[in-house]
């Protein structure tokens, strides 16, 4: 009973994100997207970052990270993937099909809106969003992606958010669920992966399997004094940005024919 009571209190403490940018594309206005254009001092975006929120949505710490990246020349689109999935029927097969089709489409349209469709693309995500970012790159393989930034991924996940997920009571095993290390293994070999993890995150026990699956194209960073929520960006923000900068400088790891 205590866990059920604590859940609403934690959810209330998670302030939703906002952005002042209103997209010109009418279709994008109907989607749970948040736009953070690059600073005007940048003639062209350094890269486009498509950032998937966690199982609580796209919330204030995600917004602060997006604003930080935007101030340094990145075009960032935040995606409330939970709100998007909440609209879909409860069918694992249908959800997989929709995600494979719609996420690349939303990425393309939203980054075009920001003038970043010719720039390198990075898919990023936090927790549930990190798992789905890796799943997306492994299964949909959107064009132009040079890297995936996974902040606090979990061992197993599924394309839905249940009360059990919010209470962290066990891993999903039903049809449609997936092992995250398998998604890493199935990601195109020319795409870099950055795994960042809070030092006190209990999910660190999965990282050895992730590192083994990622091999030489994966970097692994432990963020001091940080938990799974990555609520504070004082230390985490610069470390995450550093990994994104490294991806852009390095580009992809092979010919485009490998995608």
């Amino acid at each position: 009973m205590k866990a059920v009571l604590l859940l609403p209190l934690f959810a209330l403490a998670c302030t939703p994100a906002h952005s002042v940018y209103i997209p010109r594309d009418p279709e994008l206005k109907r989607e749970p997207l948040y736009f953070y254009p690059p600073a005007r001092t940048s003639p062209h975006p350094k890269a486009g970052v498509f950032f998937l929120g966690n199982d609580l949505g796209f919330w204030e710490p995600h917004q602060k990270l997006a604003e930080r990246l935007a101030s340094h020349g990145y075009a960032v689109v935040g995606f409330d993937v939970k709100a998007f999935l909440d609209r879909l029927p409860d069918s694992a097969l249908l959800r997989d099909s929709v995600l494979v089709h719609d996420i690349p489409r939303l990425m393309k349209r939203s980054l075009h809106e920001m003038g970043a469709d010719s720039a390198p693309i990075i898919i990023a995500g936090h927790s549930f969003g990190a798992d789905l970012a890796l799943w997306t790159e492994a299964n949909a393989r959107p064009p132009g992606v040079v890297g995936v930034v996974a902040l606090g991924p979990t061992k197993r996940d599924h394309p839905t958010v249940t009360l059990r997920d919010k209470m962290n009571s066990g891993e999903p095993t039903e049809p449609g669920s997936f092992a995250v290390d398998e998604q890493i293994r199935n990601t195109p070999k020319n795409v870099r992966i950055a795994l960042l993890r809070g030092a006190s995150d209990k999910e660190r026990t999965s990282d050895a399997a992730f590192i083994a699956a990622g091999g030489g194209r994966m970097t692994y960073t432990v963020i001091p004094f940080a938990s799974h929520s990555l609520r504070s960006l004082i230390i985490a923000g610069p470390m995450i940005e550093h990994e994104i900068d490294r991806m852009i400088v390095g580009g992809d790891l092979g010919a485009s024919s490998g995608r």
Side-chain angles (χ1 to χ4, degrees):
M1 183 67 175
K2 180 184 287 186
V4 175
L5 291 173
L6 287 175
L7 180 62
L9 292 176
F10 180 71
L12 286 173
C14 299
T15 306
H18 69 274
S19 61
V20 298
Y21 182 94
I22 299 174
R24 294 159 294 181
D25 185 333
E27 180 181 341
L28 296 178
K29 294 179 182 179
R30 297 190 291 268
E31 300 293 349
L33 297 167
Y34 300 82
F35 294 85
Y36 304 93
R40 292 184 179 179
T41 54
S42 306
H44 302 288
K46 290 162 64 174
V49 180
F50 194 79
F51 185 12
L52 284 69
N54 60 22
D55 58 2
L56 295 170
F58 192 80
W59 60 310
E60 188 176 31
H62 302 151
Q63 173 190 329
K64 289 181 178 178
L65 177 58
E67 290 173 339
R68 175 189 179 89
L69 294 173
S71 71
H72 294 158
Y74 289 96
V76 186
V77 178
F79 181 37
D80 187 343
V81 66
K82 175 189 178 299
F84 179 82
L85 290 170
D86 284 347
R87 306 184 306 200
L88 302 181
D90 189 16
S91 163
L93 184 60
L94 177 60
R95 285 169 180 263
D96 284 1
S97 177
V98 170
L99 286 172
V100 165
H101 176 267
D102 281 12
I103 290 186
R105 177 182 60 83
L106 289 175
M107 287 175 60
K108 182 177 181 179
R109 292 187 75 125
S110 59
L111 292 173
H112 175 74
E113 173 77 26
M114 304 277 277
D117 42 359
S118 62
I121 298 171
I122 289 173
I123 306 178
H126 173 223
S127 187
F128 174 66
D131 300 343
L132 285 183
L134 290 163
W135 183 95
T136 298
E137 184 56 28
N139 293 275
R141 304 191 175 189
V145 173
V146 299
V148 181
V149 176
L151 309 177
T154 65
K155 184 177 181 180
R156 289 191 63 86
D157 220 323
H158 50 182
T160 187
V161 178
T162 65
L163 180 61
R164 186 176 179 182
D165 296 325
K166 292 180 180 179
M167 294 175 64
N168 296 317
S169 58
E171 298 168 354
T173 57
E174 79 282 0
S177 63
F178 56 86
V180 172
D181 63 336
E182 285 299 314
Q183 310 314 304
I184 293 172
R185 195 168 286 112
N186 293 334
T187 296
K189 301 304 180 186
N190 60 313
V191 172
R192 298 174 184 272
I193 302 172
L195 168 59
L196 295 100
R197 172 83 69 192
S200 62
D201 187 345
K202 66 179 183 179
E203 297 285 350
R204 281 184 71 179
T205 55
S206 302
D207 289 349
F210 296 160
I211 293 167
R217 49 46 180 289
M218 173 180 279
T219 61
Y220 177 58
T221 304
V222 175
I223 302 172
F225 311 110
S227 65
H228 182 74
S229 71
L230 297 177
R231 184 185 294 268
S232 172
L233 294 174
I234 295 173
I235 297 175
M239 295 181 77
I240 295 168
E241 184 176 356
H242 174 70
E243 290 302 317
I244 293 176
D245 288 342
R246 287 180 59 182
M247 281 186 175
I248 299 306
V249 171
D252 68 26
L253 294 172
S256 59
S257 59
R259 290 188 53 78

